Amino acid sequence: MRRGLTTGIATVLAGLLAVAAAGCGGDDDGGDKAGGNIELTVDIFGEFGYDQLYKQYEAAHPNVKIKQRKVDTLDNYKPRIQQWIATNSGAGDIVALEEGILPLYMQQKNKFVNLFDHGGRSLQNNFLPWKWQMGVSPDGQHLVGLGTDIGPLGMCYRKDLFKKAGLPTERDEVSKLWPTWDAYFQAGQKFTGKVSGSKWLDGPTAIFRTTVLQNSGAGPGYSFFDKSNNLVFDTNPAIKTAFDTALKFEQAKMTSDMSIFTPPWQTALKRDTFATIPCPSWMLGGIEEFSAGFGKGKWDVAAVPGGSGYWGGSWLAVPKQTKHPKEAADLAKFLTNPQGQAAAYKDKNVFPSSPQAAQDPTVSGSKSAYFSDAPVGKIFGDMAAQVKPVYLGPKNEDVRSAVENVLIAVGQGKIKPEEAWAKAVEAAKKAAR
Amino acid sequence: MSVDLRPTRNGGPPKAAEPQDPRRSWRSRLARFDLKASPYIFISPFYLVFLVFGAFPLLYTLWVSLHDWGLASGTRKWVGLDNYSYLLGDEDFWHAVVNTIGIFVLSTVPQLLLALFLANALNRRMRSPTLFRIGMVAPLITSTAAVAIVFTQLFDRDFGFVNWGLDLVGIGAIDWQGNRGWSWVAISAMVNWRWIGYNALIYLAAMQAIPKDLYEAASIDGASRIRQFWQITVPMLRPTIIFTVIISTIGGLQLFTEPVLFSVGTPNRMDGGPVHQFQTVTMYMFDNAFGHDRYGYGATVAWALFLLIIVFSLLNFLFVRRTGGTK
């Protein structure tokens, strides 16, 4: 009797679970449709500029239908992909991995299709060498991701506000104004107080990320973590210099204390809140989106102070849970090939990680109408050719946001500037545990 | 006496202990089974659902909390009670507990008091009572996210309506996000706005069940309306008040959406301000489990929250029983 009851409960439970599982997994596996059609799902965040490419691919492959699922920001994308990969279910046939999360998933490379098995080896020359290398596992045996874009740096500035403050407005003169971050600081001092209600730059976080990557690229080639993933936050001089640079602007009250892509930052872009933003190429798309009609013709792009650098960029990977590894790999190859990257650039300003694409006249000769016809293809292309790679550890994002919080708290008056570095070291250690 | 139920060697049926009419025995056994088991079968759906969606996650969370477990990195290592001993000394966790309790007190106490007064007002004779009573639940049917986004804009430091008003009357702008105490007030305002009507409606329903002759008798004795409220209405509502207090405790300690959407200044919304001014326990749990790849530690925080809610519900229960009672 007792045994019978237990078995009965187990049967009912198993039934319930089966129903639940069916309910969860019902609509997202795409599956084969009648007539041998294949549906491929692509998971991205922000803008990748693939809409035209999908149509092109579907026209060339009548049996393939492509569905894109887009999440607005990387921060909102992170928990989802984590769940998909951990549970082996729910992920698209292709997922985008940003440079901050790629090292994390590299630790679980076996959850992704090895693209070397799908003709990946011959593609190496399509990419900047370091971009290619970061998509390969440390042992060199497993190609997890194919590079999409990179974020060569520039500096966006408001021409109209510069004019009001009596600063030069032509982009070449502006670039000459700030060869270094110190010169940029001095230019800021000239600006400050001239235009009421406007600060020199948006906040401490964009400049911190920019300088961390610049200094690390020029110096040791790694930032918060060394290449064996030990936290070197307090011993890497590249970090201390970057932190001091960002802190200097906070102390002088030259920033609006905002963090990029947060709602207050988006609102501020529709006003005269700040005059400059450190600008990786993809930032142009963000400014155009949030500044919209208000900012058209007011913005321009100059060279970034402090030498070469990049910020951001992604890879496309194929999770092993896909039912169509071959077809998904083919689509990923198509989207990341030089022609694909050039087309994506044309659509959404995501700068190609492929040198061939960067040299393509449609990219290198491109101008941005929104940014006063700035020759963005040349500005970012020149920068892209010079950048040096920076190694990011798996816990890079955790440390970064913890330290940025310290800088924001300085702006809020919650942390004294002289205590900021000690607090940042403490926060970094806690975040890296 | 024992019955040998094992099959015999040659595969035949076991020998019955007492010879009986097989049909009658089957029927009586069925009837006995019906009498004893049916009630359990009738109530079983709840328990089965609870088992799958309540008890199993609870125990599984406990299991996870004993591991160093990362969803993104794929690590999974048994660490016993290490997570719990870290939790006890984790300043950030206790900071989040204080935030949660602060916001909970600032939202629950005014919420229930106002709901009580509101219900009392609605219980009077008035024109178009249905309109007012339905109006009470309007905030409840608006989406939490929409409420939180609108309130966050109202409480904006630079361009918010509230600061504009404060400026107008000469108090001066408040940094609603930066200041710990004021951030609690702003978040509590959202919670109160949303839930006062709901609780008022529950109180109203209970008030209408109070016999009218009690009030009549009190009036004849010359008791004022205020006196009647405190001496008749409140004591008669005691079970209802206990119910709302416990429900508010559970909801208040699990506060999540409002502070997350209020957190607009930092890149990571789960931080609740750069120095965690208004990070609640649930945000801390989510941030660890899904933001920082510490699934195991997130589960530990979840269990700590579970225990915290039990303790608080018990305290509230005892408190309300003591103060609200007339015995």
Side-chain angles (χ1 to χ4, degrees):
Chain A
M1 180 66 200
R2 178 148 293 269
R3 232 192 103 154
L5 190 67
T6 324
T7 325
I9 289 175
T11 317
V12 172
L13 271 183
L16 275 175
L17 283 173
V19 170
C24 296
D27 55 358
D28 51 21
D29 50 342
D32 292 294
K33 300 251 168 71
N37 279 350
I38 289 169
E39 190 178 276
L40 295 176
T41 305
V42 183
D43 279 308
I44 61 156
F45 55 89
E47 299 288 357
F48 276 67
Y50 286 159
D51 292 350
Q52 291 303 319
L53 288 166
Y54 295 146
K55 282 187 194 135
Q56 213 178 313
Y57 194 81
E58 283 174 347
H61 302 78
N63 63 328
V64 174
K65 259 196 72 62
I66 302 169
K67 194 177 94 189
Q68 175 175 275
R69 288 187 301 193
K70 187 175 99 170
V71 177
D72 56 350
T73 64
L74 176 64
D75 281 318
N76 290 335
Y77 178 73
K78 277 195 287 195
R80 295 177 206 219
I81 183 161
Q82 182 168 310
Q83 191 188 343
W84 297 331
I85 299 302
T87 57
N88 285 322
S89 131
D93 302 282
I94 294 179
V95 296
L97 297 176
E98 201 258 356
E99 65 167 359
I101 57 176
L102 176 74
L104 193 56
Y105 290 104
M106 197 54 95
Q107 296 174 306
Q108 291 202 88
K109 58 176 192 281
N110 291 329
K111 296 224 170 175
F112 297 93
V113 168
N114 186 353
L115 295 170
F116 279 141
D117 300 340
H118 295 275
R121 226 172 263 283
S122 62
L123 303 173
Q124 184 161 1
N125 293 329
N126 283 352
F127 299 91
L128 289 167
W130 58 270
K131 185 79 183 181
W132 168 262
Q133 204 54 47
M134 284 181 181
V136 181
S137 66
D139 61 8
Q141 298 303 311
H142 197 119
L143 179 62
V144 172
L146 290 169
T148 60
D149 62 318
I150 56 171
L153 289 166
M155 178 66 83
C156 296
Y157 67 99
R158 282 277 299 271
K159 267 197 316 191
D160 56 328
L161 297 181
F162 271 43
K163 196 171 176 197
K164 272 189 202 166
L167 292 171
T169 55
E170 284 312 308
R171 67 185 71 90
D172 293 334
E173 287 172 58
V174 171
S175 300
K176 276 192 206 118
L177 192 63
W178 54 49
T180 62
W181 287 105
D182 282 334
Y184 172 80
F185 184 80
Q186 282 149 18
Q189 284 175 318
K190 280 184 210 145
F191 177 88
T192 304
K194 299 264 173 58
V195 185
S196 81
S198 297
K199 298 280 190 172
W200 179 235
L201 93 160
D202 61 336
T205 57
I207 186 174
F208 178 63
R209 289 194 216 184
T210 304
T211 46
V212 162
L213 289 161
Q214 279 181 322
N215 296 349
S216 305
Y222 53 78
S223 62
F224 305 134
F225 294 88
D226 67 14
K227 286 178 183 170
S228 354
N229 294 335
N230 301 309
L231 183 71
V232 290
F233 185 86
D234 49 345
T235 52
N236 185 352
I239 306 302
K240 176 79 166 106
T241 321
F243 189 85
D244 287 345
T245 306
L247 190 62
K248 199 161 117 187
F249 289 90
E250 268 318 277
Q251 265 180 296
K253 304 224 175 299
M254 279 158 71
T255 87
S256 307
D257 297 323
M258 287 167 182
S259 195
I260 56 156
F261 290 105
T262 57
W265 184 86
Q266 294 173 6
T267 314
L269 277 174
K270 294 199 179 64
R271 299 188 166 90
D272 296 335
T273 315
F274 42 78
T276 64
I277 309 177
C279 254
S281 49
W282 46 260
M283 186 75 87
L284 268 53
I287 293 176
E288 194 173 332
E289 184 182 344
F290 299 116
S291 204
F294 172 81
K296 191 163 170 43
K298 292 179 182 164
W299 286 97
D300 205 330
V301 196
V304 71
S308 67
Y310 73 101
W311 163 12
S314 299
W315 285 258
L316 293 184
V318 178
K320 248 193 198 144
Q321 53 188 274
T322 176
K323 288 201 179 105
H324 314 289
K326 190 185 165 303
E327 289 80 0
D330 284 344
L331 178 60
K333 285 194 290 191
F334 170 77
L335 294 171
T336 55
N337 71 21
Q339 296 80 5
Q341 292 199 18
Y345 174 80
K346 243 173 97 184
D347 199 6
K348 292 287 177 201
N349 256 320
V350 285
F351 199 85
S353 62
S354 154
Q356 294 92 322
Q359 281 150 20
D360 186 307
T362 60
V363 176
S364 63
S366 67
K367 292 185 172 181
S368 168
Y370 192 88
F371 286 79
S372 314
D373 280 326
V376 286
K378 188 174 167 358
I379 295 175
F380 292 122
D382 289 351
M383 178 57 81
Q386 304 170 29
V387 298
K388 294 193 194 78
V390 176
Y391 173 80
L392 302 176
K395 287 258 171 195
N396 181 73
E397 289 295 282
D398 311 86
V399 172
R400 181 183 60 68
S401 72
V403 174
E404 284 178 3
N405 277 347
V406 173
L407 287 166
I408 298 170
V410 171
Q412 282 186 345
K414 297 290 155 200
I415 291 178
K416 291 195 190 97
E418 54 274 18
E419 290 166 6
W421 175 249
K423 290 267 185 198
V425 171
E426 189 191 330
K429 282 186 178 151
K430 214 181 252 179
R433 96 180 154 82
Chain B
M1 186 186 78
S2 68
V3 181
D4 186 8
L5 288 175
R6 283 171 299 177
T8 48
R9 263 205 193 280
N10 56 11
K15 229 178 1 169
E18 287 167 52
Q20 249 184 359
D21 177 2
R23 250 190 334 164
R24 235 187 97 189
S25 131
W26 164 241
R27 273 190 144 183
S28 72
R29 248 193 285 171
L30 193 70
R32 210 145 24 101
F33 178 78
D34 181 37
L35 199 68
K36 281 195 171 165
S38 292
Y40 294 104
I41 292 173
F42 290 145
I43 58 166
S44 67
F46 168 79
Y47 288 97
L48 288 177
V49 169
F50 173 76
L51 211 64
V52 176
F53 296 104
F56 170 71
L58 201 66
L59 294 174
Y60 188 69
T61 306
L62 183 66
W63 170 249
V64 173
S65 75
L66 302 174
H67 290 79
D68 177 10
W69 192 319
L71 287 180
S73 61
T75 44
R76 190 162 157 183
K77 206 173 73 211
W78 174 268
V79 292
L81 293 172
D82 280 8
N83 281 333
Y84 287 89
S85 63
Y86 182 86
L87 182 94
L88 291 178
D90 183 2
E91 280 170 40
D92 287 344
F93 171 73
W94 294 109
H95 188 86
V97 169
V98 173
N99 285 346
T100 309
I101 294 172
I103 297 172
F104 161 67
V105 171
L106 281 178
S107 54
T108 310
V109 175
Q111 178 189 325
L112 295 184
L113 283 177
L114 283 172
L116 199 57
F117 295 135
L118 210 60
N120 196 46
L122 285 173
N123 201 21
R124 308 251 175 101
R125 219 168 288 154
M126 57 161 75
R127 273 180 208 192
S128 50
T130 320
L131 185 75
F132 284 106
R133 284 168 195 174
I134 290 189
M136 284 288 93
V137 280
L140 199 68
I141 55 167
T142 49
S143 106
T144 318
V147 172
I149 289 168
V150 170
F151 269 77
T152 304
Q153 284 173 355
L154 291 178
F155 285 108
D156 187 85
R157 183 193 61 184
D158 300 323
F159 309 111
F161 179 76
V162 176
N163 273 354
W164 176 79
L166 289 176
D167 228 21
L168 215 61
V169 297
I171 296 175
I174 289 172
D175 186 357
W176 293 100
Q177 246 105 25
N179 186 296
R180 195 177 180 196
W182 287 121
S183 69
W184 296 358
V185 172
I187 292 166
S188 302
M190 302 181 204
V191 180
N192 285 331
W193 185 80
R194 191 173 164 76
W195 291 103
I196 283 175
Y198 167 82
N199 286 305
L201 220 58
I202 292 182
Y203 289 148
L204 181 63
M207 277 176 191
Q208 293 187 334
I210 300 175
K212 289 278 177 287
D213 38 349
L214 283 176
Y215 292 103
E216 278 164 24
S219 298
I220 290 164
D221 286 348
S224 67
R225 285 222 163 189
I226 297 171
R227 183 95 195 262
Q228 288 176 23
F229 176 72
W230 288 113
Q231 301 275 302
I232 300 172
T233 314
V234 173
M236 293 297 278
L237 286 182
R238 209 180 62 186
T240 318
I241 292 175
I242 291 177
F243 169 75
T244 56
V245 163
I246 287 180
I247 293 293
S248 308
T249 307
I250 294 170
L253 293 180
Q254 293 183 354
L255 196 66
F256 184 69
T257 315
E258 288 90 345
V260 167
L261 290 172
F262 188 64
S263 181
V264 291
T266 48
N268 178 3
R269 276 185 180 271
M270 295 301 152
D271 282 335
V275 285
H276 307 314
Q277 286 97 327
F278 48 93
Q279 186 184 45
T280 61
V281 178
T282 42
M283 288 162 86
Y284 189 61
M285 172 184 82
F286 186 93
D287 197 29
N288 270 293
F290 302 109
H292 297 305
D293 200 35
R294 291 191 282 260
Y295 193 52
Y297 190 62
T300 310
V301 175
W303 255 85
L305 178 64
F306 173 62
L307 297 177
L308 208 67
I309 289 175
I310 291 179
V311 168
F312 262 80
S313 298
L314 278 176
L315 283 177
N316 276 335
F317 178 74
L318 294 174
F319 178 75
V320 172
R321 218 165 66 146
R322 170 114 2 138
T323 54
T326 45
K327 273 194 273 191

